[in-house]
Amino acid sequence: MPSGPESGPDRQEDVAKDAILENVMKGRQLTDLMLRCTILDAEGNVKTISGQFKKTDLSVEHGINARDLRKIDSRVPNLVPIILVRKEAVVVNILHIRALVKADAVIIFDTFGSADSRLHSVFLYHLEHNLKTKGTSLPYEFRALESILLSVMSALEAEMVFIRNLVGGLLAELDDTIDHDRFKRLLHYSRRLASFQNRAKLVGEALEEVLTQDEDLAAMYLTDKKKGIRRELQDHDELEVLLESFAKQVEEIVNEVEIMQSNVQSTQEIVELVLDSNRNALLALDLKVSIATLGIGTGALVAGLFGMNLQSHLEDDPFAFYAMTGLSSGIAFLVAWAGFRRLAKIRKVGLSSNYGTRAPKPFLPLPLRGRNFEGWSY
């Protein structure tokens, strides 16, 4: 058996590969073939709450393919909202709603591994109440679809209000003080806002995709199809109005999110400009100190020359000290003044690349100023 420092990591890697291969070869367990769902009957009453059903039984009973159930299986990651129209049902997977709508039943698939949340309870209550309503011209499947889209809109609006309060409060704080913690929170909120904007756009695209397909719109009249009533491809005004109203609401949310995203981006740019300005001010201060040090050092050079133990015949002059002091101070002042003036010229920034080196315009007499190569210009 090989020994050495590399045998340990290699052995661990082989064990990990064997474990992964063993898990793959075991296949899916029986529980993976089950779905937990709540069923509402034709009268709007809850028939089954969180019941366990096999995928094969659901596929055969409701006339859909197994791959359609995969779209609404909460254990399978699916970030793109979908509205699939089938022969006897409509498959809906939008945000937290995973449902199968038929002409006389609605199947709500529960989220795997989570308890009954408040949002799901409110949706189920509204769905049950809407399905029991008899004084409306909407068929059963459209009332169910309306409840689903209302729940989706409520979730989007609630999240939008929450993010708007977070972003608005942070932008107000940044108007007063800019620090590292607030700038870090701004970046985090910007990513969260972009993620929410993407989800809202995907919901709008799912609705627009259905609205552009006349065949799907006509096929969503499940009650008429069950009664044997044939509909023309263009005869779907009732459903089109319903979907367009929700599509407009989603569009309004997307527009508001884009405005917030623009405000956040503008604030980020302004914060970066302020930080750059502060950084430039610190660099300018450092340069000023260096220039002042250079001037003082140049003046001290004169004093250093006279500090050497050499005879200059100025030791006995009563005015030599004052003269050398004035000379050293003058040299230091001139060097510092020249450095500060040069720094001021460098810090002048123009929008054009040839700022400060503008070529003078040639002088022309007044009668010739309006004349070009082809004659007089008017």
Side-chain angles (χ1 to χ4, degrees):
M1 184 174 180
S3 60
E6 297 181 357
S7 60
D10 293 341
R11 179 61 179 171
Q12 294 178 359
E13 185 178 355
D14 294 338
V15 171
K17 290 181 179 179
D18 294 339
I20 295 174
L21 182 60
E22 183 179 358
N23 291 332
V24 173
M25 295 301 295
K26 283 182 179 180
R28 304 187 70 177
Q29 300 294 330
L30 183 60
T31 55
D32 294 335
L33 302 177
M34 306 290 290
L35 288 178
R36 189 178 65 184
C37 54
T38 300
I39 301 177
L40 286 81
D41 58 12
E43 299 298 328
N45 299 317
V46 178
K47 183 179 179 181
T48 305
I49 299 179
S50 299
Q52 295 282 346
F53 298 92
K54 291 183 179 181
K55 287 185 177 181
T56 54
D57 295 341
L58 291 174
S59 300
V60 173
E61 181 180 357
H62 302 291
I64 58 177
N65 297 323
R67 61 177 177 270
D68 295 333
L69 290 178
R70 182 178 176 84
K71 295 290 185 180
I72 54 181
D73 190 353
S74 61
R75 290 164 295 187
V76 179
N78 190 8
L79 302 178
V80 180
I82 57 171
I83 300 177
L84 300 178
V85 181
R86 294 297 180 254
K87 184 178 180 180
E88 299 179 359
V90 177
V91 180
V92 180
N93 181 8
I94 302 179
L95 298 184
H96 61 285
I97 303 296
R98 301 167 186 262
L100 183 67
V101 180
K102 300 186 66 177
D104 54 358
V106 178
I107 303 174
I108 307 298
F109 295 88
D110 299 338
T111 303
F112 180 78
S114 64
D116 191 17
S117 62
R118 179 179 179 275
L119 187 62
H120 183 76
S121 300
V122 172
F123 162 66
L124 192 60
Y125 173 78
H126 184 272
L127 176 62
E128 185 178 0
H129 179 269
N130 200 14
L131 292 178
K132 291 180 179 179
T133 303
K134 301 298 183 181
T136 178
S137 60
L138 291 177
Y140 180 89
E141 63 273 12
F142 290 175
R143 283 177 283 162
L145 187 61
E146 182 183 16
S147 298
I148 292 173
L149 295 179
L150 279 175
S151 180
V152 170
M153 290 302 305
S154 299
L156 288 177
E157 290 175 354
E159 187 173 0
M160 182 189 65
V161 171
F162 178 72
I163 296 178
R164 181 174 56 194
N165 293 334
L166 289 178
V167 173
L170 181 59
L171 295 182
E173 293 177 2
L174 287 174
D175 290 339
D176 299 332
T177 306
I178 299 175
D179 55 14
H180 177 73
D181 180 64
R182 291 175 180 174
F183 191 63
K184 187 176 180 180
R185 285 165 53 197
L186 181 64
L187 295 177
H188 174 69
Y189 292 163
S190 177
R191 297 190 189 100
R192 186 169 184 174
L193 189 61
S195 177
F196 174 70
Q197 181 182 8
N198 184 44
R199 291 199 303 272
K201 284 185 176 180
L202 289 176
V203 173
E205 290 175 0
L207 294 175
E208 292 294 337
E209 184 179 358
V210 177
L211 286 171
T212 55
Q213 301 294 331
D214 293 334
E215 295 83 359
D216 291 344
L217 291 175
M220 291 177 71
Y221 285 82
L222 302 177
T223 301
D224 293 347
K225 189 185 300 184
K226 185 178 180 180
K227 294 179 180 179
I229 302 176
R230 296 180 58 86
R231 302 186 66 91
E232 299 294 335
L233 290 180
Q234 304 297 330
D235 187 11
H236 46 68
D237 295 338
E238 193 175 23
L239 177 59
E240 188 174 358
V241 170
L242 176 64
L243 295 179
E244 282 183 350
S245 63
F246 287 103
K248 291 297 182 182
Q249 296 180 41
V250 174
E251 185 178 356
E252 292 177 0
I253 292 178
V254 172
N255 291 335
E256 185 171 354
V257 172
E258 288 178 352
I259 294 175
M260 286 192 292
Q261 185 73 18
S262 177
N263 293 335
V264 170
Q265 186 175 0
S266 300
T267 303
Q268 287 180 346
E269 294 176 356
I270 293 174
V271 168
E272 291 175 357
L273 289 176
V274 171
L275 295 178
D276 291 341
S277 178
N278 293 337
R279 188 184 304 110
N280 293 336
L282 293 175
L283 292 175
L285 178 61
D286 181 66
L287 288 175
K288 290 179 181 179
V289 173
S290 300
I291 292 173
T293 304
L294 175 63
I296 295 174
T298 305
L301 176 63
V302 179
L305 293 176
F306 284 93
M308 293 186 294
N309 295 326
L310 298 176
Q311 293 183 358
S312 59
H313 304 289
L314 296 176
E315 294 84 357
D316 298 332
D317 193 332
F319 301 102
F321 173 77
Y322 302 103
M324 291 300 102
T325 301
L327 179 61
S328 300
S329 301
I331 293 175
F333 175 78
L334 289 176
V335 172
W337 176 79
F340 288 141
R341 185 178 181 182
R342 180 60 179 171
L343 178 62
K345 288 183 178 180
I346 294 175
R347 294 188 65 184
K348 288 183 179 180
V349 180
L351 295 179
S352 60
S353 59
N354 57 349
Y355 180 82
T357 59
R358 185 180 302 172
K361 294 183 178 180
F363 174 77
L364 291 177
L366 183 60
L368 299 179
R369 291 182 183 179
R371 187 175 179 84
N372 53 25
F373 293 102
E374 299 178 358
W376 294 98
S377 60
Y378 296 94

PDB file of all heavy atoms in Angstrom, residues 354-362:
ATOM      1  N   ASN A 354      -7.216  68.230 -24.666  1.00  0.00           N
ATOM      2  CA  ASN A 354      -6.178  69.245 -24.861  1.00  0.00           C
ATOM      3  C   ASN A 354      -6.459  70.475 -24.013  1.00  0.00           C
ATOM      4  O   ASN A 354      -6.242  71.600 -24.430  1.00  0.00           O
ATOM      5  CB  ASN A 354      -6.084  69.627 -26.339  1.00  0.00           C
ATOM      6  CG  ASN A 354      -7.414  70.122 -26.887  1.00  0.00           C
ATOM      7  OD1 ASN A 354      -8.438  69.988 -26.223  1.00  0.00           O
ATOM      8  ND2 ASN A 354      -7.392  70.677 -28.093  1.00  0.00           N
ATOM      9  N   TYR A 355      -6.996  70.212 -22.772  1.00  0.00           N
ATOM     10  CA  TYR A 355      -7.308  71.337 -21.887  1.00  0.00           C
ATOM     11  C   TYR A 355      -6.012  72.019 -21.468  1.00  0.00           C
ATOM     12  O   TYR A 355      -5.047  71.371 -21.064  1.00  0.00           O
ATOM     13  CB  TYR A 355      -8.060  70.839 -20.654  1.00  0.00           C
ATOM     14  CG  TYR A 355      -8.427  71.935 -19.687  1.00  0.00           C
ATOM     15  CD1 TYR A 355      -9.554  72.716 -19.903  1.00  0.00           C
ATOM     16  CD2 TYR A 355      -7.634  72.186 -18.568  1.00  0.00           C
ATOM     17  CE1 TYR A 355      -9.898  73.714 -19.021  1.00  0.00           C
ATOM     18  CE2 TYR A 355      -7.969  73.186 -17.694  1.00  0.00           C
ATOM     19  CZ  TYR A 355      -9.101  73.952 -17.919  1.00  0.00           C
ATOM     20  OH  TYR A 355      -9.435  74.936 -17.041  1.00  0.00           O
ATOM     21  N   GLY A 356      -5.988  73.312 -21.518  1.00  0.00           N
ATOM     22  CA  GLY A 356      -4.807  74.075 -21.121  1.00  0.00           C
ATOM     23  C   GLY A 356      -3.830  74.292 -22.252  1.00  0.00           C
ATOM     24  O   GLY A 356      -2.895  75.066 -22.111  1.00  0.00           O
ATOM     25  N   THR A 357      -4.015  73.604 -23.370  1.00  0.00           N
ATOM     26  CA  THR A 357      -3.112  73.767 -24.518  1.00  0.00           C
ATOM     27  C   THR A 357      -3.919  74.157 -25.750  1.00  0.00           C
ATOM     28  O   THR A 357      -3.666  73.672 -26.846  1.00  0.00           O
ATOM     29  CB  THR A 357      -2.339  72.470 -24.777  1.00  0.00           C
ATOM     30  OG1 THR A 357      -3.281  71.421 -25.038  1.00  0.00           O
ATOM     31  CG2 THR A 357      -1.485  72.089 -23.583  1.00  0.00           C
ATOM     32  N   ARG A 358      -4.936  74.975 -25.547  1.00  0.00           N
ATOM     33  CA  ARG A 358      -5.807  75.363 -26.652  1.00  0.00           C
ATOM     34  C   ARG A 358      -5.043  76.280 -27.605  1.00  0.00           C
ATOM     35  O   ARG A 358      -4.435  77.265 -27.187  1.00  0.00           O
ATOM     36  CB  ARG A 358      -7.043  76.072 -26.101  1.00  0.00           C
ATOM     37  CG  ARG A 358      -8.078  76.421 -27.156  1.00  0.00           C
ATOM     38  CD  ARG A 358      -9.254  77.112 -26.506  1.00  0.00           C
ATOM     39  NE  ARG A 358      -9.847  76.267 -25.478  1.00  0.00           N
ATOM     40  CZ  ARG A 358     -10.798  76.693 -24.655  1.00  0.00           C
ATOM     41  NH1 ARG A 358     -11.235  77.941 -24.724  1.00  0.00           N
ATOM     42  NH2 ARG A 358     -11.288  75.867 -23.747  1.00  0.00           N
ATOM     43  N   ALA A 359      -5.102  75.917 -28.868  1.00  0.00           N
ATOM     44  CA  ALA A 359      -4.390  76.716 -29.868  1.00  0.00           C
ATOM     45  C   ALA A 359      -5.130  78.025 -30.105  1.00  0.00           C
ATOM     46  O   ALA A 359      -6.364  78.039 -30.209  1.00  0.00           O
ATOM     47  CB  ALA A 359      -4.280  75.935 -31.180  1.00  0.00           C
ATOM     48  N   PRO A 360      -4.421  79.133 -30.200  1.00  0.00           N
ATOM     49  CA  PRO A 360      -5.093  80.421 -30.432  1.00  0.00           C
ATOM     50  C   PRO A 360      -5.683  80.481 -31.837  1.00  0.00           C
ATOM     51  O   PRO A 360      -5.120  79.961 -32.800  1.00  0.00           O
ATOM     52  CB  PRO A 360      -3.966  81.445 -30.245  1.00  0.00           C
ATOM     53  CG  PRO A 360      -2.717  80.684 -30.544  1.00  0.00           C
ATOM     54  CD  PRO A 360      -2.965  79.278 -30.083  1.00  0.00           C
ATOM     55  N   LYS A 361      -6.844  81.109 -31.923  1.00  0.00           N
ATOM     56  CA  LYS A 361      -7.487  81.253 -33.222  1.00  0.00           C
ATOM     57  C   LYS A 361      -6.764  82.324 -34.041  1.00  0.00           C
ATOM     58  O   LYS A 361      -6.370  83.366 -33.514  1.00  0.00           O
ATOM     59  CB  LYS A 361      -8.953  81.650 -33.045  1.00  0.00           C
ATOM     60  CG  LYS A 361      -9.782  80.564 -32.381  1.00  0.00           C
ATOM     61  CD  LYS A 361     -11.233  80.991 -32.299  1.00  0.00           C
ATOM     62  CE  LYS A 361     -12.075  79.893 -31.668  1.00  0.00           C
ATOM     63  NZ  LYS A 361     -13.503  80.282 -31.569  1.00  0.00           N
ATOM     64  N   PRO A 362      -6.584  82.068 -35.319  1.00  0.00           N
ATOM     65  CA  PRO A 362      -5.923  83.095 -36.148  1.00  0.00           C
ATOM     66  C   PRO A 362      -6.814  84.318 -36.287  1.00  0.00           C
ATOM     67  O   PRO A 362      -8.039  84.208 -36.401  1.00  0.00           O
ATOM     68  CB  PRO A 362      -5.717  82.380 -37.484  1.00  0.00           C
ATOM     69  CG  PRO A 362      -6.768  81.308 -37.505  1.00  0.00           C
ATOM     70  CD  PRO A 362      -6.935  80.873 -36.084  1.00  0.00           C
TER      71      PRO A 362
END
